[in-house]
Amino acid sequence: MTKEIRGVLPVVLMPYTENGALDEDDFLAQTDHMFEVGSDGFVVGQMSELLRLTHGERLRVAEISAKAAEGRGISVMSTGAETAEAAIEYSRHAQECGVDALLVMHPTTLPLGDEEMTDYYSRVIESVEIPVIIHHAKSLAKQPLSIAVQARLLEEYGEERVLYKPEAQPTPPRVSQLRDATGGRARIFEGDGGMMLLDCHRRGLVGTIPATEIAEIVVVLWRLLEEGRRDDAERIGHPLSYLMCHMMNSTDYYLSIAKRFLKERGIVKNTLVRGPSRHVLDDETWTEVHRTYENLLALSKELSR
């Protein structure tokens, strides 16, 4: 039976050994941590350095994702590619491995119009039986994925097969547009590290997709919002947005900070990020983000009681 895809689903930050190979033990350490702090599952997404993995590594990650989630929660594997043919191959393999849903990003090398986007996503959705989360990645899209295309796919395949992770800016108004264009049927995930979760939640969400290092912070924030405890939620949501303003300057900038958080906490063994571009974190930035992060961890523990 297909699991209900909802709740807090953090993204694994791809760990590597000192010689640059995938570190499966640290991958599993992250998934263990996510379930221990109350996450509903996890995602392998773009912040998992997906586009920097080899073909074989992508296949292997799908396999270990399915096993890591078995009996504990939801596993979501990102299977988007530059062609529908490649995306279909990755999607079918992930389904065969036993993952619960797919996160499918659009191609990134060409600006695709509505017809090309509809064809790409339709072919992928029709190739599998598990749910597909349509992912618009704002930093990689040549042009925004239109609300019309997203609504058309839901009408064609239904809300059990098609979900959404919209990141086109400004995100909150587009969440409302997608909600309204689908008569409230669209099942939408926030995907900006909790940055706009306070606003997006009340516009209609089924979940949020942060990353490993802020898993317990966002678990508490999500629960507060679901319980209607807005004042308490703002106590976490506002400093979390400030932290994300620091981190979300680029993929490498984010990873340089997030992996250092995880290493300091003993969840991963190193902070290696695959090249060719690597951000070097300066001491003053680290001091500020670390202070903010520690305060958020303490506050989330206080508000979870």
Side-chain angles (χ1 to χ4, degrees):
M1 182 179 294
T2 301
K3 298 175 186 174
E4 185 177 10
I5 311 301
R6 63 177 302 114
V8 180
L9 306 175
V11 173
V12 175
L13 303 179
M14 201 59 62
Y16 306 105
T17 63
E18 291 293 345
N19 65 6
L22 289 183
D23 190 326
E24 296 188 13
D25 289 340
D26 278 6
F27 184 102
L28 296 175
Q30 288 186 64
T31 60
D32 288 345
H33 169 73
M34 287 186 251
F35 286 121
E36 287 166 4
V37 300
S39 301
D40 298 282
F42 64 88
V43 174
V44 173
Q46 295 311 307
M47 201 56 73
S48 307
E49 299 177 68
L50 191 80
L51 298 180
R52 297 174 181 178
L53 300 181
T54 68
H55 174 72
E57 287 171 338
R58 287 185 68 166
L59 300 181
R60 178 58 183 157
V61 166
E63 294 166 4
I64 60 178
S65 292
K67 292 178 182 177
E70 190 173 5
R72 300 200 291 179
I74 300 160
S75 60
V76 180
M77 181 68 197
S78 185
T79 57
E82 291 306 297
T83 66
E85 288 79 7
I88 288 169
E89 181 176 328
Y90 287 128
S91 297
R92 285 175 172 168
H93 173 263
Q95 178 176 265
E96 290 167 4
C97 290
V99 302
D100 300 300
L102 308 174
L103 180 67
V104 180
M105 190 179 75
H106 46 75
T108 63
T109 52
L110 293 173
L112 300 185
D114 280 4
E115 293 307 314
E116 292 91 348
M117 281 291 197
T118 300
D119 178 69
Y120 170 82
Y121 278 110
S122 294
R123 291 179 63 189
V124 175
I125 294 165
E126 290 173 7
S127 74
V128 294
E129 297 176 357
I130 57 178
V132 170
I133 304 172
I134 295 173
H135 178 202
H136 175 273
K138 62 179 179 291
S139 62
L140 296 171
K142 294 295 184 290
Q143 64 187 50
L145 179 58
S146 76
I147 298 296
V149 166
Q150 296 178 70
R152 188 188 313 171
L153 291 168
L154 186 140
E155 290 302 319
E156 180 73 20
Y157 301 105
E159 58 262 41
E160 296 305 314
R161 294 290 311 283
V162 177
L163 297 86
Y164 303 91
K165 183 175 183 266
E167 295 176 357
Q169 295 177 328
T171 302
R174 289 182 66 84
V175 170
S176 293
Q177 291 166 17
L178 180 55
R179 175 201 63 201
D180 295 345
T182 60
R185 295 169 61 201
R187 298 168 64 196
I188 306 170
F189 284 86
E190 183 267 349
D192 284 326
M195 180 182 288
M196 301 304 296
L197 187 52
L198 287 172
D199 192 349
C200 288
H201 180 270
R202 54 187 171 189
R203 296 172 188 257
L205 297 176
V206 297
T208 180
I209 300 177
T212 309
E213 85 288 349
I214 56 171
E216 63 263 66
I217 298 167
V218 177
V219 163
V220 174
L221 176 56
W222 179 259
R223 289 176 180 169
L224 293 172
L225 289 169
E226 290 285 277
E227 293 169 4
R229 295 168 59 187
R230 178 77 187 186
D231 289 346
D232 284 337
E234 288 182 355
R235 292 177 62 193
I236 293 180
H238 290 157
L240 178 60
S241 294
Y242 172 67
L243 179 63
M244 289 299 107
C245 284
H246 270 287
M247 296 177 70
M248 286 189 169
N249 287 288
S250 71
T251 297
D252 286 336
Y253 199 100
Y254 192 102
L255 292 172
S256 70
I257 297 171
K259 288 191 176 185
R260 188 163 173 182
F261 286 154
L262 293 180
K263 183 176 184 293
E264 291 247 331
R265 299 180 65 187
I267 298 171
V268 301
K269 293 186 286 292
N270 64 57
T271 61
L272 183 62
V273 176
R274 278 194 176 169
S277 173
R278 293 188 179 94
H279 172 74
V280 178
L281 184 62
D282 68 284
D283 291 340
E284 290 171 293
T285 297
W286 170 249
T287 298
E288 182 65 9
V289 297
H290 186 257
R291 180 189 64 82
T292 304
Y293 182 65
E294 290 295 317
N295 288 342
L296 277 165
L297 288 175
L299 185 57
S300 61
K301 182 179 288 188
E302 174 191 333
L303 293 174
S304 67
R305 296 178 185 140

